[in-house]
Amino acid sequence: MNIIILGPPGSGKGTQSFFIIKKYNLSLISLGNILRKNSNKYNISKLINNGNLIDDKLSFKIIKNYLYKNSNNNGYLFDGFPRSLSQAKFLNFINIDYIIEFVLKDEIIFDRLLNRNIHLNSGRVYNIKYNPPIREGYDDITGEKLIKRCDDLNLNIIKKRLFIYNDLLIKLRNFYKNYFGINFFYKYNIIDCNNNINYIKKKIYKILDK
């Protein structure tokens, strides 16, 4: 089973991705996490910090290498990839079974991102208001220090990221309408993420358990 999760920044993709891969034994492919852990290697720190998308050529190389090194017969969960029409076309060599799109009010997105911390190595996400770590500032599992993403620090950069996402999302929806054909409304699912974490998790399980 191969799944794509789409959603604006701060919609909970990272949090829900960990629930999904654990339940269905999938490999997680999060381009954002890979890039943040290797930003110096790829010399893209400035791009990420300013909320810009990286070059497709580099994205494709990273995804192919990651798939090769993390082969999983059960399937893959793509978190935040594809983000553009060209990336969706690139991913055509993999059969996509389900797409889950998260929707969320802008004001909640701003609040979540400004209060978000992450564990860099795993991608685990915490929110100091709604989902805080047991020990403030440290990851629950490893005890390692949490970080604040540079692109979460500035409201103008957050708004820029949101504008880019919404602009590209229309093209992605149209692409997958053609991709799934008559099965679009069965395969492409939209979830309101203004609800709590457990409610959203149950909605996702209900879709995938079919």
mmCIF file of all heavy atoms in Angstrom, residues 9-24:
data_model
loop_
_atom_site.group_PDB
_atom_site.id
_atom_site.type_symbol
_atom_site.label_atom_id
_atom_site.label_comp_id
_atom_site.label_asym_id
_atom_site.label_seq_id
_atom_site.Cartn_x
_atom_site.Cartn_y
_atom_site.Cartn_z
ATOM 1 N N PRO A 9 1.653 23.391 5.816
ATOM 2 C CA PRO A 9 2.557 23.289 6.966
ATOM 3 C C PRO A 9 1.770 23.430 8.266
ATOM 4 O O PRO A 9 0.872 24.258 8.377
ATOM 5 C CB PRO A 9 3.522 24.470 6.769
ATOM 6 C CG PRO A 9 2.828 25.392 5.812
ATOM 7 C CD PRO A 9 1.987 24.520 4.943
ATOM 8 N N GLY A 10 2.091 22.575 9.229
ATOM 9 C CA GLY A 10 1.420 22.642 10.528
ATOM 10 C C GLY A 10 0.112 21.899 10.618
ATOM 11 O O GLY A 10 -0.574 21.964 11.639
ATOM 12 N N SER A 11 -0.242 21.142 9.579
ATOM 13 C CA SER A 11 -1.538 20.451 9.583
ATOM 14 C C SER A 11 -1.487 19.106 10.300
ATOM 15 O O SER A 11 -2.521 18.456 10.474
ATOM 16 C CB SER A 11 -2.044 20.257 8.146
ATOM 17 O OG SER A 11 -1.109 19.541 7.365
ATOM 18 N N GLY A 12 -0.301 18.664 10.691
ATOM 19 C CA GLY A 12 -0.187 17.409 11.434
ATOM 20 C C GLY A 12 0.280 16.227 10.610
ATOM 21 O O GLY A 12 0.152 15.083 11.044
ATOM 22 N N LYS A 13 0.827 16.477 9.420
ATOM 23 C CA LYS A 13 1.282 15.386 8.556
ATOM 24 C C LYS A 13 2.321 14.515 9.260
ATOM 25 O O LYS A 13 2.258 13.294 9.221
ATOM 26 C CB LYS A 13 1.869 15.941 7.251
ATOM 27 C CG LYS A 13 0.895 16.715 6.391
ATOM 28 C CD LYS A 13 1.488 17.077 5.039
ATOM 29 C CE LYS A 13 2.730 17.943 5.127
ATOM 30 N NZ LYS A 13 2.467 19.276 5.714
ATOM 31 N N GLY A 14 3.295 15.174 9.886
ATOM 32 C CA GLY A 14 4.365 14.430 10.552
ATOM 33 C C GLY A 14 3.860 13.578 11.693
ATOM 34 O O GLY A 14 4.228 12.413 11.832
ATOM 35 N N THR A 15 2.988 14.141 12.513
ATOM 36 C CA THR A 15 2.433 13.413 13.658
ATOM 37 C C THR A 15 1.649 12.190 13.200
ATOM 38 O O THR A 15 1.841 11.076 13.701
ATOM 39 C CB THR A 15 1.512 14.341 14.479
ATOM 40 O OG1 THR A 15 2.290 15.436 14.974
ATOM 41 C CG2 THR A 15 0.890 13.588 15.647
ATOM 42 N N GLN A 16 0.740 12.375 12.237
ATOM 43 C CA GLN A 16 -0.093 11.271 11.763
ATOM 44 C C GLN A 16 0.709 10.244 10.974
ATOM 45 O O GLN A 16 0.376 9.051 10.978
ATOM 46 C CB GLN A 16 -1.247 11.811 10.924
ATOM 47 C CG GLN A 16 -2.237 12.681 11.689
ATOM 48 C CD GLN A 16 -2.932 11.936 12.815
ATOM 49 O OE1 GLN A 16 -3.101 10.714 12.751
ATOM 50 N NE2 GLN A 16 -3.344 12.655 13.854
ATOM 51 N N SER A 17 1.768 10.683 10.315
ATOM 52 C CA SER A 17 2.603 9.752 9.541
ATOM 53 C C SER A 17 3.187 8.661 10.428
ATOM 54 O O SER A 17 3.247 7.491 10.038
ATOM 55 C CB SER A 17 3.741 10.507 8.844
ATOM 56 O OG SER A 17 3.249 11.321 7.810
ATOM 57 N N PHE A 18 3.608 9.021 11.635
ATOM 58 C CA PHE A 18 4.194 8.027 12.536
ATOM 59 C C PHE A 18 3.162 7.000 12.995
ATOM 60 O O PHE A 18 3.470 5.835 13.174
ATOM 61 C CB PHE A 18 4.858 8.716 13.725
ATOM 62 C CG PHE A 18 6.177 9.331 13.378
ATOM 63 C CD1 PHE A 18 6.318 10.704 13.256
ATOM 64 C CD2 PHE A 18 7.289 8.533 13.139
ATOM 65 C CE1 PHE A 18 7.536 11.268 12.922
ATOM 66 C CE2 PHE A 18 8.511 9.086 12.798
ATOM 67 C CZ PHE A 18 8.637 10.467 12.685
ATOM 68 N N PHE A 19 1.915 7.436 13.182
ATOM 69 C CA PHE A 19 0.850 6.488 13.521
ATOM 70 C C PHE A 19 0.625 5.506 12.369
ATOM 71 O O PHE A 19 0.464 4.299 12.580
ATOM 72 C CB PHE A 19 -0.465 7.227 13.805
ATOM 73 C CG PHE A 19 -0.426 8.122 15.014
ATOM 74 C CD1 PHE A 19 -1.085 9.344 15.004
ATOM 75 C CD2 PHE A 19 0.256 7.752 16.162
ATOM 76 C CE1 PHE A 19 -1.054 10.173 16.118
ATOM 77 C CE2 PHE A 19 0.284 8.568 17.279
ATOM 78 C CZ PHE A 19 -0.378 9.786 17.255
ATOM 79 N N ILE A 20 0.607 6.026 11.155
ATOM 80 C CA ILE A 20 0.299 5.212 9.971
ATOM 81 C C ILE A 20 1.388 4.175 9.705
ATOM 82 O O ILE A 20 1.099 2.990 9.489
ATOM 83 C CB ILE A 20 0.104 6.110 8.733
ATOM 84 C CG1 ILE A 20 -1.130 7.006 8.911
ATOM 85 C CG2 ILE A 20 -0.047 5.259 7.472
ATOM 86 C CD1 ILE A 20 -1.256 8.091 7.856
ATOM 87 N N ILE A 21 2.647 4.611 9.704
ATOM 88 C CA ILE A 21 3.717 3.654 9.373
ATOM 89 C C ILE A 21 3.834 2.562 10.434
ATOM 90 O O ILE A 21 4.190 1.424 10.116
ATOM 91 C CB ILE A 21 5.078 4.365 9.168
ATOM 92 C CG1 ILE A 21 5.537 5.081 10.443
ATOM 93 C CG2 ILE A 21 5.010 5.317 7.997
ATOM 94 C CD1 ILE A 21 6.957 5.618 10.357
ATOM 95 N N LYS A 22 3.501 2.899 11.675
ATOM 96 C CA LYS A 22 3.563 1.892 12.740
ATOM 97 C C LYS A 22 2.450 0.861 12.571
ATOM 98 O O LYS A 22 2.685 -0.351 12.692
ATOM 99 C CB LYS A 22 3.452 2.577 14.096
ATOM 100 C CG LYS A 22 3.629 1.623 15.276
ATOM 101 C CD LYS A 22 3.619 2.376 16.605
ATOM 102 C CE LYS A 22 3.813 1.417 17.766
ATOM 103 N NZ LYS A 22 3.795 2.114 19.073
ATOM 104 N N LYS A 23 1.251 1.321 12.275
ATOM 105 C CA LYS A 23 0.103 0.417 12.158
ATOM 106 C C LYS A 23 0.198 -0.472 10.918
ATOM 107 O O LYS A 23 -0.134 -1.657 10.973
ATOM 108 C CB LYS A 23 -1.203 1.218 12.123
ATOM 109 C CG LYS A 23 -2.456 0.354 11.989
ATOM 110 C CD LYS A 23 -3.720 1.184 12.096
ATOM 111 C CE LYS A 23 -4.985 0.402 11.786
ATOM 112 N NZ LYS A 23 -5.193 -0.740 12.711
ATOM 113 N N TYR A 24 0.657 0.092 9.796
ATOM 114 C CA TYR A 24 0.643 -0.646 8.535
ATOM 115 C C TYR A 24 2.038 -1.102 8.084
ATOM 116 O O TYR A 24 2.181 -1.623 6.980
ATOM 117 C CB TYR A 24 -0.014 0.211 7.446
ATOM 118 C CG TYR A 24 -1.435 0.578 7.787
ATOM 119 C CD1 TYR A 24 -1.732 1.831 8.317
ATOM 120 C CD2 TYR A 24 -2.486 -0.323 7.625
ATOM 121 C CE1 TYR A 24 -3.041 2.186 8.652
ATOM 122 C CE2 TYR A 24 -3.787 0.011 7.962
ATOM 123 C CZ TYR A 24 -4.053 1.270 8.477
ATOM 124 O OH TYR A 24 -5.347 1.607 8.814
#
